[in-house]
Amino acid sequence: MIRPILIHPDPRLKKLCEPVAEVTADMGRLAEDMLETMYAAPGIGLAAPQIGVIKRVIVMDCVKGEDEAPRPLVMFNPEITWSSEDLSTYEEGCLSIPDQYAEVQRPAEVRVRWTGLDGKPQEEQFAGLWATCVQHEIDHLNGKLFIDYLGLMRRQMITRKMEKLKRERARQE
Ligand code: K1U
Ligand code: ZN
């Protein structure tokens, strides 16, 4: 089921999310809905708070191009266990902040440990867009948005644009 994506500003996007105690069938259905919502948007990642679920769950698929097979990843309780010293800059977007993009600098490579859909621990090192995306999604679980890396003026300007967008969308309903 495709779920509505919350638009900034929304208090649910600022919350510290709760760890997932056990990967139950309900959690599996949540992950399925998140992947469907992400692919439909379309996006390359999605975190549970973006659909109003305050739990530590993210999904991602950063495969580029249609000739490559998709690689949907579901992570429960993801944790960064190592970050590279070298940094990389990427122009990030966010499904909760539509049509706004800004350069954000982050570690170029990260190692992440998480619990998979089968309830088992997994660990993998990510580079390139995967590394940027997993850091962006883990930030969501800690109530942080990519605009929090920007200066106050730019952040306020984007927030005002989003407030206007939400007013317009509410009027159309
Ligand atoms: O978390 C989100 O809001 C999803 C976000 C992930 C992300 C994008 C860029 C850098 C870091 C993290 C998105 O997916 S925004 C949409 C997007 O980037 C995209 C959409 C279609 C094709 C390719 C990219
Ligand atoms: Zn985002």
Side-chain angles (χ1 to χ4, degrees):
M1 183 176 60
I2 295 174
R3 311 261 200 115
I5 296 175
L6 300 179
I7 303 299
H8 165 75
D10 186 297
R12 289 166 287 183
L13 293 172
K14 300 305 298 169
K15 293 221 183 290
L16 179 68
C17 294
E18 290 288 320
V20 172
E22 196 188 346
V23 181
T24 58
D26 272 355
M27 282 296 125
R29 279 188 287 272
L30 169 66
E32 220 173 85
D33 284 359
M34 286 175 62
L35 281 170
E36 199 181 339
T37 304
M38 178 193 81
Y39 284 124
I44 55 171
L46 191 73
Q50 293 181 277
I51 57 164
V53 177
I54 312 305
K55 292 207 181 302
R56 302 189 78 81
V57 189
I58 65 173
V59 297
M60 295 193 297
D61 187 346
C62 300
V63 166
K64 286 183 197 155
E66 275 157 31
D67 347 324
E68 246 184 284
R71 191 189 176 213
L73 272 186
V74 175
M75 298 183 178
F76 298 99
N77 303 329
E79 273 176 73
I80 294 173
T81 56
W82 171 84
S83 302
S84 64
E85 274 177 26
D86 51 306
L87 304 174
S88 86
T89 302
Y90 193 86
E91 187 167 62
E92 296 192 17
C94 181
L95 297 174
S96 296
I97 310 176
D99 302 321
Q100 304 299 316
Y101 303 91
E103 286 193 343
V104 177
Q105 200 178 45
R106 300 181 185 269
E109 291 188 49
V110 287
R111 204 165 172 80
V112 181
R113 185 168 51 214
W114 72 93
T115 302
L117 267 174
D118 57 3
K120 294 196 177 132
Q122 298 196 33
E123 193 157 1
E124 192 175 321
Q125 194 157 320
F126 295 97
L129 183 54
W130 286 92
T132 297
C133 189
V134 75
Q135 291 175 80
H136 175 116
E137 301 311 330
I138 292 173
D139 272 354
H140 273 300
L141 305 183
N142 296 322
K144 189 161 183 168
L145 301 173
F146 82 90
I147 56 169
D148 294 325
Y149 292 95
L150 311 179
L152 180 65
M153 297 294 273
R154 181 111 192 255
R155 188 162 67 240
Q156 283 180 339
M157 195 182 73
I158 292 175
T159 299
R160 284 195 204 104
K161 279 188 187 163
M162 292 302 105
E163 284 166 341
K164 184 162 175 255
L165 175 74
K166 280 171 44 151
R167 280 197 301 275
E168 283 163 3
R169 285 190 181 179
R171 241 186 283 126
Q172 283 160 10
E173 271 169 16

